[in-house]
């Protein structure tokens, strides 16, 4: 996201929501979701490692990149989502979807912010990953900014057709679909879908086995503020206590202090689903990821805290914390902290760098250990203001976890990264790691939402065996079929 100067007061600060009180009336179309029987599965190539998201079942990872403020047929901020399909040589074709695309429910309208949040999972259990897309600014009948979410279904040809997830609380104007995350929260082997709302402390969990017909649903209420845009800000899943059931990390504003600071809460999964009553408060920081960085059998919670000061865990220029998992869940007393002043990490922490704005875990060098890529979209490089950067922190070869040793600093002037450093590019507005070409190494995908005057761009960088990166060309609004009217901010969000 574009870097902004932040107030010195940490009261209720976090990632800005896209679904402001903007939008026009719209009708909601598409079926509901229901429990479905298992379907025949696709057969990915057996010689390829499992990809994070694979919408066409070919074994190569696909990347979904949003331009939530894009205009569609003149409708400002209607929003689009583009999928960059992987192939043997890396990034392949790009297909862009909007609510005007064939088979996608609804109609593209001003202020919908389609793609404001995304998540992937095999929701109908047919062997192809599906993409859940939030449109938190959607007006549903008289429910202004009520929000909606849609599932675009995977198939052998990629995403094809869609189904609306109906808002269970119409008339609430709460930005339904503003936060999305997939995970197996009851350990039954099926992908569930968690949907949060912008203006309510409410998460709806749609149980796995979804189809284009409907599903069973339950609701959890994490201990965060709700109302007036103070609802669920971010969600991420993983297994922090090693019990084989996914847990959910919920970001919002805590209620146990008068200031209502930003915080993350761990909600453990169980055979009956998520348990909000045993939520544990973690450090502040809007964006999170989970993965077993130290190979001890417990997923660790990685928290990006991009604030310069005045909030727990912050640091000049921003910080990233790795909170280690344990049999009892995240252990806040056992954590690592990384800044641009950490030994081995290139650069220096400077006010407004926004290091930790976005993060993602993956195995970049194929050594079997998780690495971490960190976005710093506010980074100034060689006097070029807010050109942005990303840093790769590698997992230690001995399996002890993320380390600053050998860290890499990436800008658009780095060899292998397309284009060049320019003012306001905001490289690192989002970051992602996945294996686009199936060679066993995680490739790095960088968003630059400010590129070309706010049009935005996405840069897939292929990881080579010698440790170098190859980015033959970027994906731009012109090549993705996105209108350059206004500031679409392509690359603002990736599904991860």
């Amino acid at each position: 996201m574009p870097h902004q100067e932040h107030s010195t007061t940490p009261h209720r600060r976090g990632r800005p929501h896209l679904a402001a009180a903007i939008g026009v009336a719209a009708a909601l179309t598409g079926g509901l979701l229901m429990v479905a029987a298992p379907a025949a599965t696709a057969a990915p190539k057996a010689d390829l490692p499992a990809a994070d998201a694979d919408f066409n079942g070919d074994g190569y990872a696909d990347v979904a990149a949003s331009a939530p403020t894009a205009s569609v047929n003149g409708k400002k901020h209607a929003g689009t989502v583009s999928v960059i399909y992987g192939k043997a040589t890396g990034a392949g074709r790009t297909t862009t979807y909007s609510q005007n695309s064939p088979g996608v429910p609804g109609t593209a309208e001003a202020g919908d912010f389609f793609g404001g949040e995304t998540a992937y999972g095999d929701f109908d259990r047919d062997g192809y990953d599906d993409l859940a897309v939030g449109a938190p600014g959607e007006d549903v009948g008289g429910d202004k900014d009520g929000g909606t979410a849609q599932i675009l279904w995977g198939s052998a040809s990629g995403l094809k057709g869609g189904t609306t997830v109906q808002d269970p609380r119409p008339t609430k104007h709460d930005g339904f679909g503003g936060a999305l995350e997939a995970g197996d929260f009851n350990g039954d082997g099926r992908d569930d879908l968690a949907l949060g709302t912008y203006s309510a402390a409410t998460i709806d969990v749609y149980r796995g086995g979804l189809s284009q017909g409907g599903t069973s649903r339950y609701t959890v209420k994490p201990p965060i503020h709700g109302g007036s845009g103070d609802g669920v800000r971010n969600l991420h899943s993983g297994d922090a206590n090693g019990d084989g059931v996914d847990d959910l990390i919920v970001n919002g504003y805590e209620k146990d202090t008068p200031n209502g600071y930003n915080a993350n809460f761990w909600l453990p999964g169980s055979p009956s689903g998520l348990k909000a009553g045993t939520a544990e408060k973690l450090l502040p920081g809007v964006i999170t990821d989970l993965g077993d960085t130290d190979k001890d059998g417990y997923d660790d919670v990685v928290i990006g805290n991009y604030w310069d000061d005045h909030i727990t865990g912050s640091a000049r220029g921003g910080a990233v914390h790795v909170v280690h998992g344990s049999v009892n869940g995240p252990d806040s007393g056992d954590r690592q902290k990384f800044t641009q002043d950490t030994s081995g990490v290139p650069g220096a922490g400077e006010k407004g760098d926004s290091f930790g704005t976005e993060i993602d875990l993956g195995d970049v060098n194929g050594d079997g250990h998780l690495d971490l890529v960190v976005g710093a979209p506010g980074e100034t490089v060689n006097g070029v203001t807010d050109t942005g950067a990303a840093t790769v922190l590698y997992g230690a070869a001995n399996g002890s976890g993320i380390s600053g040793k050998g860290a890499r600093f990436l800008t658009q002037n780095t060899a292998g990264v397309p284009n060049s450093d320019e003012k306001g590019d905001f490289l690192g507005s989002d970051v992602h790691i996945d294996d686009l070409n199936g060679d066993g190494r995680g490739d790095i995908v960088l968003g630059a939402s400010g590129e070309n005057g706010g049009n935005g761009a996405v840069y897939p960088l292929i990881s080579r065996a010698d440790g170098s990166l190859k980015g033959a060309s970027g994906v731009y609004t012109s090549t993705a079929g996105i209108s350059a009217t206004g500031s679409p901010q392509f690359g603002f969000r990736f599904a991860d």
Side-chain angles (χ1 to χ4, degrees):
M1 71 180 184
H3 165 67
Q4 299 175 350
E5 290 296 327
H6 298 293
S7 164
T8 57
T9 302
H11 178 66
R12 299 196 177 185
R13 296 184 297 174
R15 172 193 282 174
H17 289 322
L18 290 168
I22 304 172
V24 295
L28 184 61
T29 60
L32 307 184
L33 298 171
M34 61 193 282
V35 176
T41 59
K45 297 180 181 179
D47 58 338
L48 297 178
D52 279 4
D54 185 2
F55 302 120
N56 58 2
D58 65 355
Y60 301 110
D62 307 318
V63 178
S66 297
T69 56
S71 294
V72 177
N73 287 356
K75 303 296 184 182
K76 185 178 181 181
H77 297 167
T80 63
V81 175
S82 301
V83 174
I84 303 166
Y85 288 93
K87 63 177 184 178
T89 55
R93 64 186 172 97
T94 299
T95 303
T96 295
Y97 305 86
S98 75
Q99 290 187 88
N100 283 357
S101 297
V104 178
T107 302
E109 297 163 318
D112 284 347
F113 298 109
F114 180 78
E117 195 61 89
T118 52
Y120 62 82
D122 185 5
F123 300 119
D124 57 359
R125 304 180 67 207
D126 66 351
Y128 301 100
D129 280 328
D130 314 303
L131 183 67
V133 183
E138 178 93 24
D139 293 350
V140 184
D143 188 9
K144 181 175 175 57
D145 295 330
T148 190
Q150 296 164 353
I151 295 180
L152 309 186
W153 301 103
S155 74
S157 58
L159 295 179
K160 185 177 181 181
T163 301
T164 296
V165 182
Q166 189 181 42
D167 184 354
R169 287 168 300 281
T171 76
K172 294 297 185 181
H173 318 301
D174 55 3
F176 179 73
L180 304 172
E181 179 67 5
D184 182 8
F185 303 119
N186 59 0
D188 65 356
R190 304 177 180 184
D191 286 337
D192 308 320
L193 178 62
L195 293 95
T197 58
Y198 275 163
S199 298
T202 302
I203 297 170
D204 295 291
V205 182
Y206 293 78
R207 294 184 186 275
L210 314 183
S211 79
Q212 301 172 33
T215 187
S216 62
R217 175 185 62 87
Y218 66 94
T219 299
V220 293
K221 292 184 176 295
I224 61 173
H225 280 281
S228 302
D230 286 352
V232 180
R233 304 189 73 79
N234 195 44
L235 300 172
H236 212 95
S237 61
D239 184 8
N241 59 3
D243 65 356
V245 182
D246 280 337
D247 314 315
L248 188 67
I249 304 297
V250 180
N251 181 262
Y253 300 124
E254 45 90 6
K255 300 193 295 185
D256 54 354
T257 71
N259 293 313
Y261 291 151
N262 173 282
N264 289 286
F265 292 87
W266 173 62
L267 275 61
S270 75
S272 59
L274 294 172
K275 299 293 186 181
T278 55
E280 175 186 334
K281 187 169 76 171
L282 307 177
L283 289 168
V286 180
I287 193 72
T288 59
D289 198 4
L290 285 92
D292 188 2
T293 65
D294 54 4
K295 302 181 79 69
D296 65 352
Y298 306 103
D299 280 353
D300 310 310
V301 183
V302 185
I303 300 173
N305 182 330
Y306 64 87
W307 299 294
D308 290 306
D309 50 30
H310 290 93
I311 195 166
T312 302
S314 61
R316 185 177 178 86
V320 172
H321 297 263
V322 181
V323 180
H324 292 282
S326 73
V327 68
N328 296 314
D331 183 357
S332 295
D334 179 13
R335 70 175 191 262
Q336 299 168 278
K337 181 178 181 178
F338 296 94
T339 73
Q340 290 181 289
D341 293 320
T342 298
S343 177
V345 178
E350 302 161 318
K351 185 176 181 180
D353 283 347
S354 296
F355 180 82
T357 290
E358 291 290 350
I359 55 176
D360 199 33
L361 289 164
D363 185 4
V364 173
N365 53 13
D367 68 351
H369 303 289
L370 286 177
D371 309 311
L372 176 68
V373 60
V374 182
E379 183 81 34
T380 294
V381 181
N382 294 328
V384 183
T385 305
D386 291 336
T387 185
T391 300
V392 184
L393 304 175
Y394 292 95
N398 62 5
S400 61
I402 302 297
S403 168
K405 183 179 180 180
R408 298 186 64 186
F409 186 71
L410 304 176
T411 76
Q412 290 185 83
N413 282 352
T414 300
V417 182
N419 220 317
S420 59
D421 294 344
E422 300 165 312
K423 182 179 180 179
D425 280 348
F426 302 118
L427 184 73
S429 55
D430 207 349
V431 297
H432 186 60
I433 302 174
D434 209 348
D435 187 4
L436 299 177
N437 61 358
D439 65 358
R441 293 183 294 273
D443 306 307
I444 299 173
V445 186
L446 303 179
S449 63
E451 184 70 55
N452 295 330
N455 285 349
V458 174
Y459 299 111
L461 310 177
I462 304 304
S463 297
R464 292 173 156 180
D466 64 1
S468 65
L469 298 171
K470 179 184 178 182
S473 63
V475 183
Y476 303 93
T477 53
S478 57
T479 55
I482 301 170
S483 171
T485 301
S487 298
Q489 299 186 78
F490 182 44
F492 186 88
R493 291 279 191 275
F494 297 146
D496 54 21

